[in-house]
Amino acid sequence: MRIPFITAILILGFFGCGSRQESRPADSLAGTRWHLVEFQSMDDSIGTIRPADAELYTLAFDSEGLTMRLNCNRATGPWSVTPDAAGRSGSITIGPLAVTRALCPPPSMDERIARDMAFVRGYMLRDGLLSLSLMADAGIYLWEPQ
């Protein structure tokens, strides 16, 4: 009995015989630590927001998960990436995050960052900086090495 060509292709695809790359931490991000430079909104009414003290906003990618300092709060959660061939950009998923809820003194970006991390969809490493882009072109978080 001969299996039609299309049926054979569908069976191979169903059982994962393709060369699909699994989502996993990229070597280029694992073990790195960053502090926030700025948030660039695509909404002109928001514009670019820079923290008063960049050291109050940190991000660390470890094999165990992601940890963040968000002013007077902390956040932890899972992360995974699907890097491009060069490993310098690709898609990223962050969260869900467990976040402490202390009331930080203003001005604080803690609530915005904690909320936005669920909407991060892409990353790029260029000129020593990490860009995390939000879905629907809502904005970009720019981080530099800590």
Side-chain angles (χ1 to χ4, degrees):
M1 179 168 125
R2 295 181 62 183
I3 299 175
F5 178 75
I6 293 176
T7 303
I9 296 298
L10 290 174
I11 291 171
L12 288 174
F14 179 77
F15 288 106
C17 294
S19 61
R20 194 186 96 189
Q21 186 169 5
E22 293 183 26
S23 293
R24 59 177 171 71
D27 294 338
S28 57
L29 286 181
T32 61
R33 301 190 181 289
W34 308 86
H35 65 264
L36 183 63
V37 175
E38 64 188 19
F39 171 68
Q40 303 165 354
S41 175
M42 301 308 148
D43 182 342
D44 290 337
S45 66
I46 297 172
T48 299
I49 303 171
R50 293 180 183 85
D53 183 353
E55 295 301 321
L56 294 177
Y57 302 93
T58 62
L59 169 64
F61 293 99
D62 295 314
S63 60
E64 300 297 315
L66 171 100
T67 57
M68 299 182 83
R69 177 179 179 190
L70 302 172
N71 196 342
C72 67
N73 286 297
R74 304 288 183 267
T76 61
W79 66 284
S80 65
V81 298
T82 304
D84 66 1
R88 307 300 290 168
S89 65
S91 63
I92 185 169
T93 303
I94 295 175
L97 295 178
V99 183
T100 60
R101 298 288 179 191
L103 185 58
C104 300
S108 184
M109 296 176 67
D110 63 318
E111 291 179 9
R112 171 185 290 276
I113 296 169
R115 179 191 68 233
D116 284 351
M117 288 300 108
F119 301 106
V120 171
R121 293 296 181 262
Y123 78 97
M124 181 180 350
L125 293 163
R126 185 187 321 179
D127 300 327
L129 300 174
L130 170 65
S131 297
L132 296 178
S133 57
L134 302 177
M135 63 189 291
D137 290 329
I140 297 171
Y141 282 93
L142 189 62
W143 304 81
E144 64 184 0
Q146 193 175 17

